[in-house]
Amino acid sequence: MNDPSKPMFWRDLRMPYVELRKVGDGRKVCYAPHSHTQWSLGAITEGKSTFLYRSDQFEVSAGALVVINPNWVHACNPIDNQPWGYLMLYIDTDWLTKLRYESGLLGTPCWQDISTAIISDHKWYTGYCRMAECLLDSNRELLEKQTVVVEYLTALMHELSGQASEPVSKTPDNFQALADYLRAHAAVDVSLDTLCERSGFSPGHLIRSFKRHFGLTPHAYLINYRIQRGQQELKHGKPIAETALNVGFADQPHFQRTFKKLLAATPKQYRQSLLNQQIDTTGGK
């Protein structure tokens, strides 16, 4: 069994700007005051701990987020050997600066520290946990992981700055071209970087604006189209395993889970209903 006191790190060379650390039992994980070059966002997932942040000290418990600016001295440690667990996301400062600048939150592409130290709003905690779950899941695709990180951090940056998201400024034709590209490349791994290069959009603007136009993020749009294609293949009698690979899923179980999530029926149930319809048409009432 895995030792919960040992940290687990998630990294992906295709997303070098983000790293995630997970500790299930932090009682044996004690820190001297230190700092990071990255901007860091932590979530207390269990128990309580102390959070030393420069000259301030807080007691934080499960459901809270801690915000740590680059090069700010800090330390988190257990209280009287009580259980506590946490997740810590490290974001490259230059990457986050660019994200904030392109979102209209910075007047110049230069880092500005964020004054907030603790976030207690539960919606940001649950969103953080969903993001971490996505990153840690080896079955999730690159575009989904990139989308969840950009979408969450962009929204959080607007929240912390007290500014609303910027309005859509591109014409629908730009989004239609992206949608056409996604459909044409539905069976391969598409990256957010590629979509940005093709459109000229920043990651945050692309995701929000695409979602406003189509009601889905680019990744959700891609998955939805794959399932639509899967339905067509199943209608033509293709085996489920073959269909899964043809439409861009890594394996049959992933296809089956997604199919059921979107259509409330398994691929097998869908195929069987088609067979029953054929029987009724040829020999039924």
Side-chain angles (χ1 to χ4, degrees):
M1 296 180 63
N2 293 329
D3 184 349
S5 67
K6 291 184 177 180
M8 177 175 67
F9 289 92
W10 171 87
R11 302 182 186 90
D12 188 325
L13 294 177
R14 299 169 299 177
M15 299 174 65
Y17 46 84
V18 62
E19 179 179 305
L20 181 68
R21 175 190 178 105
K22 179 180 180 180
V23 174
D25 184 353
R27 286 176 294 180
K28 297 180 181 179
V29 184
C30 296
Y31 297 96
H34 63 286
S35 66
H36 306 287
T37 59
Q38 306 102 320
W39 185 80
S40 308
L41 184 65
I44 310 302
T45 57
E46 182 183 354
K48 297 180 179 180
S49 68
T50 59
F51 174 44
L52 175 67
Y53 195 40
R54 282 192 163 179
S55 59
D56 296 317
Q57 183 167 307
F58 308 87
E59 182 177 297
V60 289
S61 57
L65 299 179
V66 298
V67 179
I68 306 171
N69 285 312
N71 301 311
W72 281 36
V73 175
H74 63 281
C76 286
N77 287 300
I79 300 175
D80 298 328
N81 201 38
Q82 296 180 45
W84 75 292
Y86 70 92
L87 295 160
M88 185 63 73
L89 191 71
Y90 304 96
I91 306 293
D92 179 78
T93 304
D94 290 340
W95 183 88
L96 187 58
T97 299
K98 184 179 179 182
L99 186 73
R100 294 168 70 190
Y101 176 68
E102 292 175 339
S103 297
L105 300 176
L106 296 176
T108 60
C110 299
W111 175 259
Q112 290 181 12
D113 288 329
I114 294 171
S115 60
T116 302
I118 307 292
I119 300 173
S120 301
D121 192 329
H122 192 66
K123 72 175 182 180
W124 294 108
Y125 173 79
T126 55
Y128 183 106
C129 291
R130 285 195 297 268
M131 174 177 59
E133 180 184 9
C134 177
L135 293 177
L136 293 170
D137 188 346
S138 60
N139 291 319
R140 304 291 186 95
E141 297 182 13
L142 173 63
L143 181 58
E144 182 176 7
K145 294 184 178 186
Q146 292 175 320
T147 297
V148 74
V149 168
V150 170
E151 195 168 31
Y152 179 84
L153 289 177
T154 301
L156 181 60
M157 292 300 103
H158 278 91
E159 175 75 11
L160 294 178
S161 70
Q163 297 183 31
S165 300
E166 75 271 19
V168 178
S169 59
K170 298 290 185 178
T171 64
D173 289 344
N174 295 99
F175 302 118
Q176 191 58 55
L178 285 177
D180 292 343
Y181 180 85
L182 287 170
R183 289 197 300 272
H185 296 81
V188 298
D189 203 11
V190 178
S191 75
L192 183 59
D193 304 303
T194 298
L195 298 180
C196 290
E197 290 172 3
R198 294 186 64 85
S199 65
F201 300 152
S202 67
H205 182 79
L206 186 153
I207 291 170
R208 287 194 308 280
S209 301
F210 191 98
K211 188 174 182 178
R212 285 176 184 164
H213 185 65
F214 289 103
L216 298 168
T217 66
H219 177 260
Y221 183 94
L222 178 64
I223 294 300
N224 187 67
Y225 180 69
R226 286 176 177 171
I227 294 301
Q228 291 173 343
R229 283 189 55 195
Q231 287 179 274
Q232 294 300 318
E233 295 228 352
L234 293 175
K235 283 180 182 179
H236 289 88
K238 291 287 182 65
I240 295 174
E242 181 181 344
T243 297
L245 296 177
N246 287 347
V247 301
F249 288 94
D251 51 46
Q252 182 175 334
H254 190 193
F255 172 61
Q256 291 180 159
R257 287 193 301 271
T258 308
F259 195 99
K260 186 174 182 179
K261 180 180 178 181
L262 267 62
L263 300 180
T266 66
K268 184 177 180 180
Q269 290 169 335
Y270 184 77
R271 288 189 75 223
Q272 187 61 45
S273 68
L274 294 173
L275 292 173
N276 291 339
Q277 289 174 14
Q278 292 171 0
I279 292 172
D280 290 341
T281 300
T282 56
K285 295 181 180 179

